[in-house]
Amino acid sequence: MKSNKLNRHDSLKFIFGGNSTFTFKNNITENRFTYRVRKHKTNDIYFVSVLTQPDTYTFIGSIFKEGNYRHSVKSKISSNAQSVKVFDYVLRKLHTDSLSESIEVWHEGRCGRCNRKLTVPESIESGFGPE
């Protein structure tokens, strides 16, 4: 599947779409981590997981109303893991609109709300389907 780069202003909207899968890529180090963020069915809580094996996401923490990431004691991944530090760092930088140009946010060609495959060029660019 072809990935698509999100512009920085749409990145937070996509991440908090409710059912998003995306990758943070550092163009200097070439490091990248893929995450999945799912919204709770009724509350404004988002559950964050990181891709640890092909098609396997491992829960790392939650994002609450204030928009800040909190690592979970139930996570099997340490709060000192690079993937956790990167997620927290990039999310904070996106909130303050101070993310370095060397960091990119890519979506995986699926809607950030419903996770359906995107096919319309405008939807592929924004990361969201028409509905």
Side-chain angles (χ1 to χ4, degrees), residues 85-104:
K85 290 180 177 182
V86 166
F87 184 82
D88 185 40
Y89 173 82
V90 173
L91 187 65
R92 282 187 286 110
K93 291 297 185 177
L94 284 170
H95 276 302
T96 59
D97 197 26
S98 59
L99 186 64
S100 166
E101 291 294 322
S102 64
I103 309 289
E104 297 176 344

Side-chain angles (χ1 to χ4, degrees), residues 56-109:
T56 303
Y57 287 86
T58 303
F59 174 71
I60 58 171
S62 303
I63 305 169
F64 295 90
K65 283 183 183 181
E66 69 276 2
N68 296 325
Y69 168 78
R70 280 196 252 166
H71 188 73
S72 175
V73 295
K74 294 181 180 180
S75 176
K76 294 178 182 177
I77 297 175
S78 166
S79 62
N80 291 322
Q82 188 69 21
S83 59
V84 173
K85 290 180 177 182
V86 166
F87 184 82
D88 185 40
Y89 173 82
V90 173
L91 187 65
R92 282 187 286 110
K93 291 297 185 177
L94 284 170
H95 276 302
T96 59
D97 197 26
S98 59
L99 186 64
S100 166
E101 291 294 322
S102 64
I103 309 289
E104 297 176 344
V105 181
W106 291 75
H107 72 79
E108 304 302 315

Side-chain angles (χ1 to χ4, degrees):
M1 178 185 307
K2 184 180 184 307
S3 296
N4 297 281
K5 183 178 168 184
L6 288 163
N7 72 49
R8 352 203 127 265
H9 301 292
D10 290 339
S11 295
L12 278 176
K13 182 179 173 185
F14 182 82
I15 290 168
F16 291 104
N19 195 5
S20 60
T21 303
F22 53 92
T23 299
F24 293 152
K25 178 184 174 195
N26 183 322
N27 286 321
I28 295 171
T29 64
E30 293 297 317
N31 286 341
R32 60 183 161 73
F33 293 101
T34 300
Y35 301 93
R36 184 174 68 189
V37 175
R38 302 288 185 258
K39 186 179 185 304
H40 185 275
K41 290 180 183 178
T42 56
N43 298 328
D44 283 338
I45 300 170
Y46 295 83
F47 303 107
V48 182
S49 301
V50 63
L51 184 67
T52 52
Q53 295 179 19
D55 299 322
T56 303
Y57 287 86
T58 303
F59 174 71
I60 58 171
S62 303
I63 305 169
F64 295 90
K65 283 183 183 181
E66 69 276 2
N68 296 325
Y69 168 78
R70 280 196 252 166
H71 188 73
S72 175
V73 295
K74 294 181 180 180
S75 176
K76 294 178 182 177
I77 297 175
S78 166
S79 62
N80 291 322
Q82 188 69 21
S83 59
V84 173
K85 290 180 177 182
V86 166
F87 184 82
D88 185 40
Y89 173 82
V90 173
L91 187 65
R92 282 187 286 110
K93 291 297 185 177
L94 284 170
H95 276 302
T96 59
D97 197 26
S98 59
L99 186 64
S100 166
E101 291 294 322
S102 64
I103 309 289
E104 297 176 344
V105 181
W106 291 75
H107 72 79
E108 304 302 315
R110 297 194 162 274
C111 179
R113 279 189 287 269
C114 67
N115 207 29
R116 290 184 186 145
K117 183 177 179 181
L118 298 169
T119 58
V120 176
E122 293 82 15
S123 296
I124 293 170
E125 185 176 332
S126 71
F128 291 103
E131 296 177 19

